Amino acid sequence: MYQRVKPPKISDVIMAQLEEMVVEGTLKPGQKLLSERELAKQFDVSRPSLREAIQKLVAKGILESRQGGGNYVSKNLGRGLTDPLLELLANHPEAQYDLLEFRHALEGLCAYYAALRSTEVDRDSIRQKHLELQEFHDKKQFSKEVNADVEFHLAIAEAAHNMVLLHMMRAMFDLLKQHIADNLHDIYPQKILRSNVHDQHGLLMEAIFAGDPERAQAASHDHFAFVEQGLLEQSKESTRLKRSLRRISVRE
């Protein structure tokens, strides 16, 4: 005797679709969802079914429902790196080079797969982020340039169409932002170094648009190798300056 297969509840179907949008990166941590009326129309379902799906996702910690303020993707989604750990890493000199090494590997993979898989929509996004980065670089608007730099690298991660890589990048967003800020701050006084770093973003973008994964990964490799060398030189210069100041202090 065969058992009758029950059709899935509409709310479960909606929930699965929303979960898929979160996993694939279409819905981002902290992002506000459309209103219930708009979502119900988009999914072509009743509002009670939609509301039930949202309540289930809230219970699972994927969504947050704010009184009178709508529904949001949880900000804490994927935040495996907690604030205390971020502070420890940010203030530990050796960790800076470890993070650079980690980014070297992770973003090299992102660049490789972005060259293989990016769509025209992805390329438009990367192009727009690079234009914003160029604008803030030219205007020397440091904090905005840092944000634009992070968004540029995240756009490449999105274009890789690998959900694990994307969520790893997003999970370390705050740490990534701080790391880029520190790097730019350290090489800011050296105009030619900072200019070269910026030019490398353009070369990376061109390699991705050319659909050449090896060239894109090499461009990413060259970018991080150059940044690391620049930071090492800056560190040596700082050490020499401190040594000179100590000698002057002793003589006085």
Side-chain angles (χ1 to χ4, degrees):
M1 192 72 167
Y2 292 106
Q3 224 175 11
R4 184 171 176 267
V5 178
K6 293 182 180 178
K9 290 183 66 177
I10 297 297
S11 61
D12 289 338
V13 174
I14 300 167
M15 182 176 71
Q17 289 183 10
L18 287 171
E19 284 179 331
E20 185 177 354
M21 292 172 73
V22 171
V23 170
E24 72 183 12
T26 301
L27 291 174
K28 305 174 184 178
Q31 182 175 337
K32 185 178 181 180
L33 271 63
L34 295 174
S35 68
E36 286 188 3
R37 180 177 60 82
E38 291 172 306
L39 274 177
K41 185 178 179 181
Q42 189 176 94
F43 287 129
D44 193 22
V45 296
S46 68
R47 291 180 69 175
S49 292
L50 175 69
R51 196 171 296 121
E52 184 179 349
I54 289 174
Q55 288 171 351
K56 289 177 180 179
L57 290 172
V58 169
K60 292 173 74 172
I62 295 172
L63 296 182
E64 296 173 355
S65 188
R66 302 177 189 174
Q67 189 68 31
N71 300 298
Y72 295 77
V73 180
S74 174
K75 284 185 177 180
N76 295 322
L77 206 62
R79 291 295 179 93
L81 297 173
T82 59
D83 288 341
L85 180 56
L86 287 177
E87 188 174 351
L88 282 173
L89 290 171
N91 294 319
H92 198 293
E94 288 184 15
Q96 295 300 300
Y97 291 99
D98 288 345
L99 179 56
L100 193 63
E101 190 175 84
F102 179 72
R103 286 186 61 198
H104 198 142
L106 187 67
E107 297 193 39
L109 282 176
C110 289
Y112 183 93
Y113 288 116
L116 278 177
R117 302 169 178 168
S118 62
T119 65
E120 189 56 42
V121 174
D122 295 325
R123 292 189 286 275
D124 285 343
S125 177
I126 293 171
R127 190 179 293 110
Q128 181 58 40
K129 300 302 182 187
H130 187 262
L131 285 173
E132 292 170 4
L133 181 56
Q134 179 72 58
E135 178 187 353
F136 298 133
H137 175 79
D138 292 341
K139 292 180 178 178
K140 293 182 172 57
Q141 295 178 318
F142 182 71
S143 61
K144 290 183 178 180
E145 183 179 357
V146 169
N147 285 328
D149 198 322
V150 173
E151 292 295 340
F152 174 74
H153 287 284
L154 286 176
I156 292 173
E158 289 175 351
H161 290 276
N162 181 301
M163 291 180 287
V164 177
L165 282 175
L166 174 59
H167 287 292
M168 281 291 289
M169 288 286 288
R170 283 187 178 165
M172 58 183 289
F173 183 91
D174 291 335
L175 188 58
L176 183 61
K177 183 177 176 181
Q178 182 61 50
H179 189 242
I180 289 174
D182 290 340
N183 290 348
L184 287 178
H185 182 270
D186 287 339
I187 64 178
Y188 193 93
Q190 303 179 61
K191 188 175 179 180
I192 189 167
L193 281 184
R194 190 158 170 268
S195 179
N196 285 341
V197 166
H198 182 69
D199 290 344
Q200 287 162 7
H201 286 132
L203 294 174
L204 174 57
M205 181 176 67
E206 289 172 11
I208 290 171
F209 289 1
D212 189 335
E214 283 80 13
R215 182 176 146 203
Q217 191 168 31
S220 179
H221 168 84
D222 291 344
H223 172 57
F224 286 107
F226 185 86
V227 170
E228 183 173 12
Q229 185 58 39
L231 292 175
L232 286 170
E233 289 300 323
Q234 183 66 17
S235 177
K236 289 176 183 177
E237 178 65 26
S238 177
T239 299
R240 287 192 289 267
L241 178 60
K242 289 177 182 177
R243 188 182 299 138
S244 298
L245 289 173
R246 282 197 298 270
R247 287 169 180 166
I248 292 173
S249 177
V250 170
R251 288 170 190 165
E252 291 176 349

